[in-house]
Amino acid sequence: MNFWYNKNAPPVFIAKRSKTILHPFTIGKYHGHTLNVYQGCQHRCGYCYATYEWSPEFYNKIYAKNNAPEILENEIRNWRSGDILPVMVSSATDAYQPAEMKFELTRKCVKILQKYDVPYYIFTKSTLIARDLDLHADYRDKCFIVWSITTADEKIRRILEPGTPPTASMFKVMEKFISKRIQCAVNIDPIIPLVTDSNENIDTIISLCKVAGIKNVFGAFLRLRYDIWDRLKMVFALLNMNLDFSINHYKKIYGFSEPLRHDNNLSMERSLESTFLNNIASKVLENGMINGFPELKENKFPYNTKFKNCDKRQLTLNNYLDS
Ligand code: SF4
């Protein structure tokens, strides 16, 4: 049976030096910076969007940018932007994948962000973040943690994202963060048609969020690219799904014929997608939670005067998502 990574080889760690570490992004009229201290990811999610930018060895060779803390501090000191821009940790890897146990680059960089009063958002599907519970708790008004959860079914998780911790363990860690009043959200993303889109799965995740005390829940459907489509067909086979039926269903709801072009980045049929997402929103609201990101309060940021031309305007992640 084919896998999308080398099942029999443990990931290899390679230390490297980077020239830059903060990279600006713009979505609509909003801006921020991404911070990725690793390249590659041991979580090995079959649907990973980040593989596009890197090599096919993305899952097996983990590069650690071991000068990241030093470069980050230099880049922040030289920041010339008119705004204090939030930093997204991470956009193309998981900052708390197992490599972090060895290198501690995320922890060191978070300390630097805190030193310069830079707000940050961490996206993760790891339990290792519990190591830094107190660090984030001390900065609770200027950060939030977004947990990506795709499935409550362990059999599916082990195949779909074999390097991630069990979903139940992630919820246990969320409970610890919430008990420290750290802002946490759950992003059910990506929702994968025929694999994780059942009412049973979504309802279970929403119930687990409620029990953990999560207040903000939202989700998004899978976008389809040629490399993701190749891996997804392996997932179908590993889950013993009916291949002809599954492939035809995807062709219909994503509107394509094989082979997928390399420049395709397809969304599911709009009306189907919005019906499903509206259904999730209703369930989240019925359970007393909010369908969207928590707001960070602007007036809680004492901006550091080292930043030039700061106009004290702060963006929230809602700004990014709504644009
Ligand atoms: S955790 Fe994120 S970056 Fe890592 S493999 Fe999964 S989707 Fe990709």
Side-chain angles (χ1 to χ4, degrees):
M1 182 68 72
N2 281 335
F3 282 80
W4 53 92
Y5 57 94
N6 186 345
K7 193 168 179 270
N8 300 313
V12 175
F13 297 131
I14 302 165
K16 67 177 267 191
R17 292 182 72 74
S18 251
K19 287 187 182 148
T20 56
I21 199 70
L22 287 174
H23 296 284
F25 70 87
T26 298
I27 302 176
K29 58 183 178 174
Y30 299 108
H31 315 281
H33 284 91
T34 59
L35 172 66
N36 291 288
V37 296
Y38 301 105
Q39 181 178 318
C41 187
Q42 295 165 264
H43 286 160
R44 297 172 155 174
C45 306
Y47 50 78
C48 182
Y49 299 126
T51 56
Y52 203 38
E53 300 173 25
W54 310 116
S55 69
E57 293 171 321
F58 181 84
Y59 302 104
N60 285 331
K61 262 192 193 169
I62 311 301
Y63 292 90
K65 303 173 187 175
N66 60 0
N67 60 339
E70 178 190 319
I71 306 178
L72 177 63
E73 183 149 19
N74 285 338
E75 289 185 1
I76 291 176
R77 278 187 184 141
N78 292 324
W79 207 325
R80 296 287 193 279
S81 165
D83 295 328
I84 300 295
L85 300 176
V87 168
M88 306 290 180
V89 187
S90 303
S91 62
T93 183
D94 194 310
Y96 283 102
Q97 62 178 294
E100 172 64 10
M101 274 189 283
K102 177 176 168 69
F103 296 100
E104 296 195 1
L105 293 172
T106 298
R107 182 175 173 80
K108 289 172 190 165
C109 286
V110 163
K111 284 183 178 174
I112 289 167
L113 293 175
Q114 293 186 357
K115 178 178 168 185
Y116 290 94
D117 281 328
V118 179
Y120 60 83
Y121 307 82
I122 291 182
F123 298 83
T124 189
K125 49 178 68 212
S126 172
T127 50
L128 176 59
I129 193 171
R131 182 199 64 190
D132 293 344
L133 178 64
D134 291 337
L135 182 68
H136 297 302
D138 288 343
Y139 207 66
R140 61 173 65 83
D141 293 326
K142 304 171 196 173
C143 68
F144 73 75
I145 316 295
V146 182
W147 308 83
S148 306
I149 302 287
T150 56
T151 179
D153 183 322
E154 273 304 285
K155 184 178 153 223
I156 293 175
R157 185 198 60 76
R158 279 191 218 110
I159 287 172
L160 191 60
E161 44 190 50
T164 59
T167 300
S169 310
M170 285 195 264
F171 274 100
K172 288 273 176 240
V173 174
M174 282 179 223
E175 284 175 20
K176 288 185 187 168
F177 274 66
I178 289 162
S179 73
K180 295 270 187 179
R181 293 180 289 112
I182 300 169
Q183 298 183 91
C184 297
V186 163
N187 189 13
I188 310 173
D189 184 10
I191 301 165
I192 303 175
L194 299 178
V195 179
T196 64
D197 65 341
S198 69
N199 282 334
E200 187 191 357
N201 183 51
I202 300 297
D203 290 351
T204 306
I205 293 173
I206 290 173
S207 297
L208 289 168
C209 289
K210 187 179 180 184
V211 170
I214 294 276
K215 292 211 172 70
N216 300 74
V217 183
F218 41 92
F221 267 91
L222 178 78
R223 293 195 320 274
L224 209 54
R225 276 187 341 225
Y226 76 98
D227 58 326
I228 294 172
W229 181 227
D230 284 347
R231 297 195 295 269
L232 207 50
K233 284 185 278 189
M234 292 179 214
V235 169
F236 296 160
L238 289 162
L239 288 171
N240 295 318
M241 292 166 58
N242 181 320
L243 279 183
D244 285 342
F245 172 80
S246 304
I247 290 169
N248 285 332
H249 183 72
Y250 268 71
K251 284 183 185 169
K252 193 169 150 200
I253 63 174
Y254 281 90
F256 69 95
S257 52
E258 299 220 65
L260 258 186
R261 289 204 326 264
H262 280 217
D263 59 350
N264 277 148
N265 188 359
L266 303 175
S267 298
M268 203 169 95
E269 201 268 307
R270 289 288 175 204
S271 61
L272 205 58
E273 185 179 40
S274 45
T275 302
F276 200 98
L277 293 179
N278 287 340
N279 190 27
I280 291 183
S282 302
K283 288 176 179 176
V284 169
L285 295 174
E286 278 163 23
N287 279 278
M289 297 179 284
I290 299 164
N291 183 232
F293 278 92
E295 297 278 352
L296 287 172
K297 293 189 174 54
E298 290 181 29
N299 58 9
K300 290 198 175 171
F301 292 95
Y303 294 115
N304 192 305
T305 52
K306 283 179 186 167
F307 290 98
K308 301 192 177 171
N309 307 319
C310 172
D311 68 358
K312 299 199 173 188
R313 182 167 67 85
Q314 180 55 51
L315 304 175
T316 73
L317 200 52
N318 267 340
N319 299 137
Y320 298 93
L321 294 176
D322 292 344
S323 54

